[in-house]
Amino acid sequence: MLVRKNVTSLAPALAAVILLTAGCGAGDEAKSGSKRSTSSATPHGYVEGATEAAEQQFRLLLGDAGSGEARVLDLITGKVHDIARSPGATALTTDGRFGYFYGPDGIRVLDSGAWMVDHGDHVHYYRAKVQEVGDLPGGTGTSIRSDAGVTVATSADGKASVYRRANLEKGALGTSSPLPGTFAGAVVPYAEHLVTLTAESGAPAKVAVLDRSGKRVAVPEAECEEPRGDAVTRRGVVLGCADGALLVHEDDGAFTAERIPYGEDVPKTERAVEFRHRPGSSTLTAPAGEDAVWVLDVSEGAWARVKTGTVVAANTAGEGSPLVVLETDGALHGYDIPTGKETGATDPLLKELPEAGAGGGAASVIEVDRSRAYLNDPEGKRVYEIDYNDDLRVARTFDVDVRPSLMVETGR
């Protein structure tokens, strides 16, 4: 039987969940002054229709951009589940639970049925059935950004609408709330606010912080020329700019913007314009032209440019983990980020690389979590699970019946 191995065993993890749950429940009772609840009371962490687990419930959402076929690969059981087709989908993103299939006329929202809830001192892991949520309006160029409270759709013309996350969790889109004005980049939920860029004609974009209704509450003194790309990290929101990045950070209700420059003139074709990272990490990656990768250490406020072979995809778990790069030889290569030294490589895994734009957007990507990386092979109709801490060892190979040209990992 295929079972995903975690760093810790199941028994200690289960014990930790029990202890932490008891501790949180005790705190709730202390606040209310009530005595111990009876067996009929709702247990702490209870979510209707979901099962709480002792470990993260990772799943991969897979889409065939050519045929529209879609699947869910459960990484705990190794089983592949059929889901409804997404005809015309050219991109797929996730916020950790929901998958967003981007089509020419709208965005299909799918609840993957795997997620986690971070209470700060402890975490709850859940699994439930996969279910359809609905179709968001928006065509090519629309971006989706989410947090625990809201999901925001920003269209290519700069208009944005807010959806309540609670409705999505119940399997419905609900009524959206349009934000006033237009924006020069995606509207990003962060610290119970919305972080975005605004711009007047011919002027550099400026950072703006809004409340959830769209009212401007802070304007950190920072400009961003030619904005491209964004990411949410533990340190704040990173916005890509022509000269590097801006880090928008909240501390005790006050918002600041810190510039993180490249430190050198970077040609437009080598700028970081699309960030990838492990959710929860503060280390971001982005292609730096054809044969290098940018690594942005947000905690240190510093960029590193790692020379590689010709880059197809890249990602890293951060925190001492290697930079993992798929190169045009079809192999995964590992690089030590501080030194830039190549530390290892797999045999060629992809016998045929998908061509850019082929199959309605076919591409190979690298998804990373705390212990594994995942590489999709559209032409080979398979997904590789990689132990990046063990010399890029191929831990498991999953054969699927579709070309998985679109892939994201949920349950985090």
Side-chain angles (χ1 to χ4, degrees), residues 233-361:
T233 75
R234 289 177 298 155
R235 301 287 179 174
V237 179
V238 173
L239 304 172
C241 309
D243 63 349
L246 287 175
L247 173 64
V248 181
H249 174 70
E250 183 270 342
D251 185 15
D252 198 23
F255 288 83
T256 59
E258 173 189 350
R259 189 172 298 282
I260 308 177
Y262 290 121
E264 59 184 83
D265 290 332
V266 176
K268 190 171 185 177
T269 56
E270 297 181 5
R271 296 174 188 168
V273 297
E274 184 178 358
F275 298 105
R276 295 191 65 84
H277 70 306
R278 175 181 62 80
S281 168
S282 292
T283 305
L284 308 181
T285 66
E290 293 185 353
D291 58 358
V293 175
W294 286 113
V295 179
L296 173 57
D297 186 330
V298 179
S299 300
E300 297 295 328
W303 295 88
R305 189 175 189 273
V306 180
K307 290 283 291 181
T308 65
T310 306
V311 178
V312 178
N315 210 334
T316 182
E319 301 177 357
S321 299
L323 171 65
V324 182
V325 182
L326 173 65
E327 300 181 8
T328 50
D329 60 1
L332 287 176
H333 297 253
Y335 294 87
D336 178 65
I337 295 172
T339 65
K341 180 182 178 182
E342 184 172 356
T343 57
T346 66
D347 293 330
L349 299 176
L350 275 63
K351 307 304 181 184
E352 183 179 355
L353 294 174
E355 297 180 6

Side-chain angles (χ1 to χ4, degrees), residues 132-144:
E132 298 287 340
V133 177
D135 294 316
L136 292 172
T140 303
T142 300
S143 61
I144 302 293

Side-chain angles (χ1 to χ4, degrees), residues 51-358:
T51 300
E52 187 167 4
E55 60 180 346
Q56 283 186 270
Q57 302 298 295
F58 294 109
R59 291 174 178 175
L60 293 179
L61 300 186
L62 307 173
D64 185 333
S67 68
E69 295 291 335
R71 302 287 186 268
V72 176
L73 170 57
D74 190 319
L75 294 170
I76 301 299
T77 65
K79 294 181 179 179
V80 179
H81 303 276
D82 292 352
I83 54 177
R85 297 173 68 250
S86 291
T90 58
L92 171 62
T93 63
T94 185
D95 54 23
R97 174 175 177 173
F98 296 93
Y100 302 93
F101 290 83
Y102 294 71
D105 302 315
I107 299 171
R108 172 194 178 193
V109 184
L110 180 79
D111 185 348
S112 73
W115 71 95
M116 59 179 282
V117 177
D118 189 347
H119 285 180
D121 61 343
H122 68 285
V123 179
H124 295 274
Y125 306 115
Y126 297 98
R127 64 184 292 123
K129 65 178 182 179
V130 178
Q131 64 175 343
E132 298 287 340
V133 177
D135 294 316
L136 292 172
T140 303
T142 300
S143 61
I144 302 293
R145 303 291 185 268
S146 303
D147 69 0
V150 297
T151 292
V152 185
T154 309
S155 63
D157 62 4
K159 299 291 186 180
S161 295
V162 178
Y163 296 82
R164 293 184 64 241
R165 179 72 171 233
N167 290 328
L168 271 65
E169 293 171 353
K170 295 176 182 178
L173 295 176
T175 302
S176 65
S177 300
L179 296 176
T182 58
F183 307 99
V187 176
V188 183
Y190 167 68
E192 299 182 3
H193 288 74
L194 304 173
V195 174
T196 188
L197 293 165
T198 61
E200 298 180 1
S201 179
K206 295 183 178 180
V207 175
V209 180
L210 318 174
D211 66 15
R212 293 293 164 100
S213 67
K215 180 182 178 181
R216 192 170 303 194
V217 296
V219 185
E221 290 295 326
E223 294 183 345
C224 180
E225 293 189 6
E226 301 178 26
R228 288 283 303 277
D230 58 84
V232 178
T233 75
R234 289 177 298 155
R235 301 287 179 174
V237 179
V238 173
L239 304 172
C241 309
D243 63 349
L246 287 175
L247 173 64
V248 181
H249 174 70
E250 183 270 342
D251 185 15
D252 198 23
F255 288 83
T256 59
E258 173 189 350
R259 189 172 298 282
I260 308 177
Y262 290 121
E264 59 184 83
D265 290 332
V266 176
K268 190 171 185 177
T269 56
E270 297 181 5
R271 296 174 188 168
V273 297
E274 184 178 358
F275 298 105
R276 295 191 65 84
H277 70 306
R278 175 181 62 80
S281 168
S282 292
T283 305
L284 308 181
T285 66
E290 293 185 353
D291 58 358
V293 175
W294 286 113
V295 179
L296 173 57
D297 186 330
V298 179
S299 300
E300 297 295 328
W303 295 88
R305 189 175 189 273
V306 180
K307 290 283 291 181
T308 65
T310 306
V311 178
V312 178
N315 210 334
T316 182
E319 301 177 357
S321 299
L323 171 65
V324 182
V325 182
L326 173 65
E327 300 181 8
T328 50
D329 60 1
L332 287 176
H333 297 253
Y335 294 87
D336 178 65
I337 295 172
T339 65
K341 180 182 178 182
E342 184 172 356
T343 57
T346 66
D347 293 330
L349 299 176
L350 275 63
K351 307 304 181 184
E352 183 179 355
L353 294 174
E355 297 180 6

